[in-house]
Every structure is written in C-alpha cells, then in structure tokens.
Amino acid sequence: MAHGVLSFPLTSFRDDGSLNPDGFRAHVAGQLATAPGAVFPACGTGEFFSLDEDEYRRVVAIAVEEAAGRVPVVAGVGYGWAQAVRFARIADEAGADALLVLPHYLVTAPQDGLVAQLEHIAARTRLPLIAYQRGQVAFTAASLRRIARIPTVIGLKDGHSDLDRLQRLTLAAPDDFLFFNGAATAEIQARAYATVGVPAYSSAVHAFAPEIANAFFAALREGDDETVEKLLRDFYVPLVELRDRAPGYAVSLVKAAARLRGRPVGPVRAPLTEPPAADLADLRTLLTTGLDLVGATL
C-alpha cells in the first residue's frame, strides 16, 4: 500500500438518493485503471455514515469484484464496537482484505477505552485492522504499543497532523507496523509526514483527478521538488482554500469535481449539501488549471 496513492472511492447515488451500484462499479473501475496502492470503499469519502447494511454490502462486494485481487480492498467500519463488528462481518463475507476502523460515534473516551474498542473488534473478526485517529480519537505512544500487540491490528491512519505526536507513535511502533497520512488533503503535508516516517497517504484528489494525484505522487517519490511545489502552489493550496469555505466540502466538493469529469457518482446524501453555483464555477476553473499542469484536460 506504500507503492501507490491510496484510493478512497466515492459512493454513487442517484438523484433520488438511492444507491447506484452501476455508477459505483464504473467509478471504482476507473480508479483501479490508474493503479492505486489500495482501494478503501465505504470510508469517510465514501459516505460510510450514510449507508445502511445492505448498501454497505453491495458497495464492498463491488469493490472486491472490480479489484479482483490486484490491490487490497480495505472497507470502513465504525460507530460503537458492536456496530463496527456487524459491518466487519459483512465486509468479510463480501471479500474485503482488511478494515479501516473509523472514529467511534460522538463521545470522547480515555485511552483505555480507545484500546478496548479495537480489542473488542479484533476479537470478533479475522480481518486485519487499521485504526484511524481523527476527531475524538488520538492515541498516546503507550496506547500505540498496546494496540500494536493486538495480532490483527496492522496499522494506523492519522488525521490529526500533529507531527510531534506522530513521531512519538512511529518510534513506539514495531518495524512492520503501517502508518498512513490521512489528512483532509494529504498532499499538502505529504513531505512533512514523510520526514517522520510516514510516506504513504490517501488522496481525495485521486477520486476525481487521478492524473494530478499520480503526478504529485511520482514527483514526491522522485524528489522533483519543482513539480511538487508547482502543484502545491497552483492547485492543492487553492483547493484547500476552496474546501475550507463550507463544512462537508471534504466530500461534497470532491463529488462535485468528479461529476465535472463525467464520473457517475451522483449527489451527496444529507446531512451533506451540494456546493452553490459560485463555488462550482471556481472549482471548474481550478480543476482545469490543475489538469493543465499535468498535461490532461477536463
């Protein structure tokens, strides 16, 4: 999973809000054609929080079918541990290779509770687990050592971007423990994460412009600072500024960009809302600029 951009596909819905399996299949196939390091269906970008269990089963199964063993399929699970286990069983039955444990629902919890959450899930599924620290979930180095001793916990995705804390975690972990940069627009901080031993990252941009995401990844890997900085300056930083205009744009703006590329992803589900016309116009301009930087077109 460290040898390519990690793909977090969007879940396709029809205009009436119902699941669009054919649209999702086409979207995942398009993502896989660009050689991601892994596919993570039904996670945050895939609106896990809005899926019922039957929809979740179809989404994970389609991702598994399309991946056909070429790359790992890591399905999202979440809420409290009891509900996470229900989704874990569905993901296992659908053929997922591993699970991303999204932050639990609503409440803050002490470190013992964060560890216990993973212990309960791990005891009830055979699938490997990647913990996701973001929001109310943030592990200490001591807790990281504890979860790393759970045989099926294989890694941690970080969305806090606290590099001091993250460095402590990487130093506390076993050598084979996986770490992923899960910042909202991970490319912005990719170089900084790499300096503390976390080169792998997820990319929301890959969901709508894999040409840009892969060009950035290649430039970063090859030490092409000129290209990295040009893409950051002219595309990624303006994208973050646009994303920060409204809550929920980390998903709804990504879906809008995918629709601009003709991807059959449909609208977001409530409580997310669609961007207004002015923001969509700015998005189109920015997307055209970014694609032009890598020799692609809208």
Side-chain angles (χ1 to χ4, degrees):
M1 288 190 279
H3 299 294
V5 176
L6 303 180
S7 170
F8 282 67
L10 301 155
T11 300
S12 298
F13 300 119
R14 301 185 181 93
D15 288 342
D16 64 2
S18 62
L19 183 68
N20 181 355
D22 292 339
F24 181 69
R25 186 180 296 278
H27 175 54
V28 171
Q31 294 281 282
L32 286 163
T34 64
V39 176
F40 288 68
C43 293
T45 307
E47 297 178 78
F48 166 79
F49 56 86
S50 77
L51 300 175
D52 67 27
E53 292 183 9
D54 289 339
E55 292 169 333
Y56 177 85
R57 184 186 303 275
R58 297 193 74 182
V59 163
V60 176
I62 288 170
V64 170
E65 290 164 9
E66 291 300 315
R70 289 175 289 170
V71 296
V73 175
V74 185
V77 298
Y79 306 115
W81 66 261
Q83 288 174 291
V85 168
R86 290 176 64 92
F87 283 100
R89 289 172 180 156
I90 294 170
D92 192 0
E93 292 167 359
D97 297 297
L99 304 170
L100 178 66
V101 182
L102 303 170
H104 63 269
Y105 172 69
L106 190 60
V107 298
T108 57
Q111 291 294 308
D112 284 348
L114 299 182
V115 173
Q117 167 89 338
L118 288 171
E119 289 175 335
H120 281 300
I121 298 170
R124 293 164 175 82
T125 178
R126 67 183 184 88
L127 293 178
L129 306 179
I130 299 170
Y132 189 6
Q133 64 168 18
R134 188 170 184 159
Q136 68 269 38
V137 177
F139 293 101
T140 63
S143 294
L144 191 282
R145 293 187 189 97
R146 292 172 63 189
I147 67 172
R149 287 196 293 268
I150 302 170
T152 54
V153 175
I154 63 171
L156 177 76
K157 182 182 180 188
D158 174 73
H160 285 296
S161 303
D162 180 341
L163 296 183
D164 180 284
R165 175 188 288 266
L166 188 57
Q167 181 70 90
R168 296 168 190 265
L169 297 181
T170 60
L171 293 172
D175 290 342
D176 60 350
F177 199 78
L178 303 174
F179 285 92
F180 304 97
N181 167 2
T185 303
E187 287 90 344
I188 291 286
Q189 300 181 66
R191 287 191 293 190
Y193 268 81
T195 64
V196 295
V198 185
Y201 61 88
S202 58
S203 174
V205 171
H206 190 272
F208 63 86
E211 305 96 325
I212 299 173
N214 286 338
F216 182 91
F217 182 85
L220 187 67
R221 182 175 53 188
E222 294 163 8
D224 182 357
D225 288 338
E226 181 179 354
T227 298
V228 166
E229 288 168 12
K230 185 169 184 59
L231 286 169
L232 288 173
R233 183 184 306 110
D234 295 342
F235 176 73
Y236 282 101
V237 169
L239 177 65
V240 169
E241 292 171 350
L242 180 56
R243 185 201 69 202
D244 288 347
R245 288 184 188 178
Y249 270 14
V251 177
S252 58
L253 201 71
V254 172
K255 264 200 164 175
R259 292 196 301 272
L260 287 174
R261 303 293 310 280
R263 309 297 190 258
V265 297
V268 292
R269 277 182 172 174
L272 300 177
T273 58
E274 295 298 329
D279 289 352
L280 291 176
D282 290 343
L283 177 62
R284 177 183 285 273
T285 299
L286 177 59
L287 182 53
T288 301
T289 297
L291 290 168
D292 184 62
L293 289 172
V294 299
T297 60
L298 188 63

